[in-house]
Amino acid sequence: MSNLKLTILKKWEFDNEFFFVCASILLPDGTVVILTSDHTDWHKYYALVLSTEGVKKISIEYTPMSNRDYPVLFRYKEGFGIIISAKEVRYYSDMHSSPEIIPIKNKSLLRYNIVPEKAQQRYFQNISDSQTIPVCFENEVYYGNARSFALLEFDDIAKTAKWKTFSCIDKKAFTYRDNRTTDTPKIDSLKISDKRIYAFIPGESSSSVNKWGMDYYALVQISAEGKVIEKIIESDNLHTDHKKHGVNGCFTDSEYVILTPLFKTDDWKGKQKVFSLTTREYCDITLPKGMAKHKLENITGELCLTSLFDSGLKEVSLCNYINI
């Protein structure tokens, strides 16, 4: 098994002002943008722009439509956007100007809503190399998970944004699905690359993962309608013994998917790995000395991003890496 060996380039320190990294992007010039929330008020969100100039804190002001109405961060060209309540995009073409406010159209040709009115967007990390942005949603049942997804068509030149589809992932493709319920698979993260849509599935059970572990996990390629085209990874049934198992997946701006085990008692001993969509192989991760507690958040080009959480966000580090 190969190994990603990280070397630190720059570190930003925080004093528990913020909670944790909800999502992140790495821009080509090494600028980092992080979506996070206030440490004491989890409903107050910020975009932190980290660069050689320091830290710029952008307060994301809006009136939530519900208790779990989260903003969504996405990378687009040389800038980034923030989706608010599935109704508008705030697009930052550079780090020094105010955002353009672009309303999102949500009507089909038959004049019905594509994204249901009560659907709640989730801030889970999304990656795209095109004008189509995949976004996680929860609809009808609201536990803070995501069991639906939508595709947003965004054009900064034409200043347009519109929802194109809203779907769930078809559970019939998964070996260890629970046919006793209608629960559809949960979604950790989404990616569009070369017109292919990928999703990481942390099982489908609605029971407490912390208490019982996951039922299964999978990495799949799907269609815009949620049909599973290819199962790239599919775990065994994780409820066959008395141990708790589970892995979360997060897509990056690279070929790699970051895999994070939920429990230190599993085969990976709680250590993250990455999986290459190109080679279909796993890689270990070697963090820099003194950064053993850091968590890998994103990768692009030869750069990667880590964070340290200790009762709040303590550090964010920009590293480069080599594959050995």
Side-chain angles (χ1 to χ4, degrees):
M1 184 183 297
S2 59
N3 191 309
L4 296 191
K5 185 177 181 181
L6 278 59
T7 304
I8 188 168
L9 297 174
K10 185 171 179 58
K11 180 168 65 176
W12 296 270
E13 296 182 347
F14 303 93
D15 189 21
N16 283 2
E17 180 182 356
F18 308 106
F19 193 43
F20 64 90
V21 175
C22 301
S24 66
I25 59 176
L26 281 164
L27 298 177
D29 64 355
T31 298
V32 174
V33 185
I34 287 173
L35 177 66
T36 187
S37 62
D38 188 89
H39 187 251
T40 56
D41 183 359
W42 296 352
H43 298 294
K44 187 171 182 58
Y45 287 89
Y46 299 94
L48 303 182
V49 181
L50 315 179
S51 67
T52 55
E53 300 176 8
V55 178
K56 179 180 180 181
K57 183 172 71 172
I58 300 173
S59 180
I60 304 174
E61 302 290 345
Y62 66 106
T63 301
M65 308 295 288
S66 68
N67 287 335
R68 290 196 177 102
D69 181 12
Y70 307 140
V72 173
L73 174 71
F74 67 93
R75 175 180 168 180
Y76 188 82
K77 296 182 179 178
E78 307 301 313
F80 66 94
I82 299 171
I83 304 171
I84 303 295
S85 303
K87 298 184 183 303
E88 73 175 31
V89 172
R90 299 177 186 176
Y91 178 60
Y92 294 81
S93 57
D94 61 64
M95 305 304 111
H96 304 289
S97 59
S98 299
E100 292 186 85
I101 310 299
I102 301 172
I104 301 175
K105 296 180 180 178
N106 189 33
K107 295 292 184 182
S108 71
L109 294 176
L110 299 177
R111 308 303 298 168
Y112 66 83
N113 286 346
I114 294 171
V115 172
E117 191 65 32
K118 293 186 178 180
Q120 298 175 353
Q121 62 185 31
R122 297 290 176 254
Y123 52 57
F124 306 153
Q125 190 146 301
N126 66 77
I127 304 292
S128 179
D129 61 1
S130 71
Q131 291 183 320
T132 304
I133 313 300
V135 180
C136 293
F137 276 86
E138 190 161 16
N139 189 34
E140 296 180 356
V141 180
Y142 307 100
Y143 292 124
N145 299 311
R147 295 181 188 268
S148 303
F149 70 98
L151 300 181
L152 177 72
E153 288 291 324
F154 179 68
D155 187 334
D156 65 315
I157 303 300
K159 295 181 173 52
T160 59
K162 57 184 177 181
W163 295 113
K164 298 293 289 183
T165 62
F166 185 88
S167 308
C168 298
I169 296 177
D170 186 358
K171 69 187 292 178
K172 295 193 296 293
F174 299 102
T175 307
Y176 302 107
R177 66 187 180 273
D178 187 348
N179 290 320
R180 299 170 299 175
T181 76
T182 58
D183 291 342
T184 55
K186 294 182 283 189
I187 305 171
D188 261 351
S189 184
L190 294 163
K191 179 172 185 172
I192 295 178
S193 178
D194 293 329
K195 299 182 179 180
R196 297 184 178 94
I197 307 173
Y198 298 96
F200 192 90
I201 308 297
E204 65 186 61
S205 174
S206 59
S207 61
S208 170
V209 172
N210 290 331
K211 184 175 181 179
W212 302 106
M214 285 182 188
D215 42 352
Y216 67 89
Y217 62 85
L219 169 62
V220 294
Q221 181 190 343
I222 58 174
S223 70
E225 294 74 34
K227 180 181 178 181
V228 176
I229 297 171
E230 180 186 8
K231 291 189 290 185
I232 302 168
I233 296 174
E234 185 178 30
S235 75
D236 294 331
N237 183 347
L238 302 181
H239 283 167
T240 56
D241 58 27
H242 298 293
K243 294 182 179 180
K244 295 187 292 185
H245 305 276
V247 172
N248 288 121
C250 180
F251 292 104
T252 71
D253 272 312
S254 72
E255 67 186 86
Y256 296 112
V257 186
I258 300 171
L259 304 177
T260 304
L262 291 178
F263 308 102
K264 294 183 179 180
T265 54
D266 68 2
D267 294 339
W268 295 1
K269 307 300 181 185
K271 294 183 178 180
Q272 289 180 304
K273 294 182 185 291
V274 295
F275 178 83
S276 170
L277 289 171
T278 302
T279 66
R280 304 294 173 93
E281 295 178 342
Y282 292 90
C283 297
D284 288 326
I285 302 166
T286 300
L287 292 164
K289 186 176 180 180
M291 291 175 55
K293 294 184 178 180
H294 274 240
K295 175 185 173 184
L296 188 60
E297 299 283 358
N298 210 334
I299 306 171
T300 186
E302 297 180 350
L303 298 174
C304 57
L305 183 70
T306 73
S307 72
L308 174 63
F309 176 87
D310 184 6
S311 301
L313 185 61
K314 302 290 287 187
E315 296 177 0
V316 172
S317 294
L318 182 67
C319 302
N320 59 16
Y321 71 92
I322 55 174
N323 196 332
I324 57 176

